[in-house]
Amino acid sequence: MKQLKNSHILGIGSLDSDDIDLIIEASFICKKILAQSSRKLDALKGRTVVNLFYESSTRTRSSFEIAEKRLSAEVLNFASSTSSVTKGETLVDTVRNLQSMAPDIIVIRHSSSGAPHLLTRICRASVINAGDGMHEHPTQAFLDAVTIMEKRKSLRGLKIAICGDIRHSRVARSDIMLFSRLGAQVWVCGPPTLIPIGIESIGCQVTYQMDEAVEGADVVMGLRIQQERLKEAFFPSIKEYFQLYGLTVDRLQKASRNVLVMHPGPMNRGVEIDSEVADGPYSVILDQVTNGVAARMAILYLIAGKTLEELRKEADETAD
Ligand code: CP
């Protein structure tokens, strides 16, 4: 029986290879189920999931909610902007109060790195990290890996270039760790001010030249300049940044034929990516969003204590 060993999903760094392979396999099965029918599965029937978002989100929050509903969960969406957080209530007090209502799973996005880890110490629910500060965004890494595997079967041996604001990106950290563990050669590229010193230790090579990053790349991922986390000037101007680091059709000529263009969103068009590329024939950016529902549904299903064999059976029943 294949079952998740972890009761929380806090980061790629805390998952072993068995759990990683299991989540990916389950994501593909969930994708099949979602495509076949609108039938709801019972995996989370009678269970409550709290979506605790302290930072804004379009894709992650919506896809978690869709996935939770497809698994028959009772869903509580908590937006900090309309809660007692605005009156000064701390994260710990907020979670203790929510815990008193006995949720089974808490999905948390927070600006502080480590907030999901803190939750595991103060509540009994399973915790899923939906993005913590500049640390990790593990569910994004899974949906990104699934998107690449869907098009290229495996990540083994692929050159994947992640370009832009690496310093502030939790997506970059989770993607680097997951992609390298799946056998890809990961490169990161951006201005020296936006690449953290020592990032190579988590599984990537560094270049400050876009041409070197894109040369022969099978996948090129653009990352957003995270204006909300920039506390100083990291580059002279948006115009210069786009000239040096923007993903343009010209630059993509150096990539491998049929390169996949990815971006976790939200995009700053004309800053890190040109619209011609974002909406062009190589873009799989909206496939990433579609796969977000499947990957999050898989994680929720497994976190509920269900097995891969049970999920396969559900898929067979859905197909009948
Ligand atoms: N990729 C991602 O995390 O997008 P949202 O901020 O819209 O959730």
Side-chain angles (χ1 to χ4, degrees):
M1 286 291 207
K2 288 189 179 173
Q3 218 165 359
L4 206 56
K5 288 196 268 315
N6 279 266
S7 49
H8 310 289
I9 300 292
L10 301 178
I12 300 300
S14 54
L15 293 173
D16 68 14
S17 298
D18 288 345
D19 279 354
I20 286 174
D21 292 346
L22 177 60
I23 291 171
I24 291 173
E25 208 175 333
S27 301
F28 280 105
I29 299 174
C30 283
K31 176 131 194 197
K32 208 165 125 191
I33 292 173
L34 288 163
Q36 275 167 346
S37 120
S38 54
R39 180 173 84 85
K40 287 187 175 189
L41 310 190
D42 284 343
L44 291 177
K45 198 171 185 142
R47 304 208 199 178
T48 304
V49 183
V50 177
N51 296 318
L52 184 57
F53 277 66
Y54 280 78
E55 281 189 335
S56 51
S57 167
T58 296
R59 284 146 287 265
T60 311
R61 204 173 75 137
S62 315
S63 55
F64 262 114
E65 188 174 344
I66 292 170
E68 289 151 9
K69 288 179 173 166
R70 286 298 295 258
L71 294 172
S72 307
E74 302 296 329
V75 179
L76 170 68
N77 288 312
F78 175 98
S80 61
S81 57
T82 52
S83 73
S84 288
V85 170
T86 58
K87 300 173 197 161
E89 192 161 38
T90 64
L91 171 64
V92 170
D93 280 337
T94 303
V95 171
R96 282 195 178 128
N97 279 274
L98 290 171
Q99 179 60 54
S100 303
M101 301 177 218
D104 299 283
I105 300 172
I106 297 179
V107 177
I108 178 170
R109 168 168 288 190
H110 200 279
S111 58
S112 295
S113 300
H117 304 69
L118 173 70
L119 253 61
T120 63
R121 295 205 290 275
I122 57 174
C123 67
R124 286 181 297 280
S126 288
V127 177
I128 301 177
N129 182 357
D132 63 327
M134 298 188 279
H135 179 227
E136 279 229 43
H137 194 351
T139 62
Q140 177 75 40
F142 279 108
L143 74 90
D144 287 342
V146 166
T147 304
I148 298 169
M149 289 169 90
E150 199 171 51
K151 310 284 177 194
R152 297 285 178 273
K153 283 208 159 65
S154 161
L155 273 74
R156 191 150 298 281
L158 297 187
K159 178 179 178 182
I160 302 180
I162 303 177
C163 309
D165 182 355
I166 309 296
R167 182 186 179 117
H168 299 102
S169 176
R170 51 199 177 205
V171 174
R173 290 178 62 81
S174 290
D175 275 355
I176 292 166
M177 285 190 268
L178 185 59
F179 296 171
S180 60
R181 283 175 69 176
L182 294 172
Q185 297 165 26
V186 185
W187 286 71
V188 296
C189 179
T193 47
L194 289 178
I195 306 233
I197 291 167
I199 187 92
E200 297 91 334
S201 67
I202 62 167
C204 62
Q205 298 176 70
V206 173
T207 176
Y208 306 117
Q209 307 297 328
M210 278 295 275
D211 285 349
E212 188 182 12
V214 172
E215 178 91 54
D218 301 286
V219 178
V220 178
M221 179 182 292
L223 291 179
R224 179 174 74 90
I225 292 292
Q226 301 206 17
Q227 303 285 358
E228 72 277 23
R229 298 191 216 278
L230 299 187
K231 296 195 173 58
E232 48 192 285
F234 286 91
F235 49 86
S237 70
I238 295 289
K239 192 171 167 205
E240 187 185 296
Y241 183 86
F242 182 68
Q243 271 170 4
L244 291 174
Y245 295 102
L247 287 181
T248 59
V249 168
D250 264 4
R251 244 182 205 127
L252 278 187
Q253 304 290 335
K254 292 193 165 51
S256 82
R257 219 161 52 86
N258 297 328
V259 61
L260 303 178
V261 172
M262 302 178 75
H263 193 301
M267 287 185 279
N268 292 310
R269 290 170 183 263
V271 181
E272 71 269 359
I273 191 164
D274 203 9
S275 281
E276 242 186 306
V277 173
D279 306 325
Y282 303 114
S283 173
V284 292
I285 293 169
L286 293 177
D287 298 76
Q288 289 173 263
V289 179
T290 303
N291 290 332
V293 179
R296 289 167 178 134
M297 183 171 162
I299 287 168
L300 288 159
Y301 188 90
L302 295 167
I303 279 272
K306 306 285 250 177
T307 66
L308 191 70
E309 291 74 12
E310 287 173 296
L311 184 60
R312 279 211 195 96
K313 202 162 161 254
E314 307 251 30
D316 290 345
E317 284 165 13
T318 307
D320 290 342

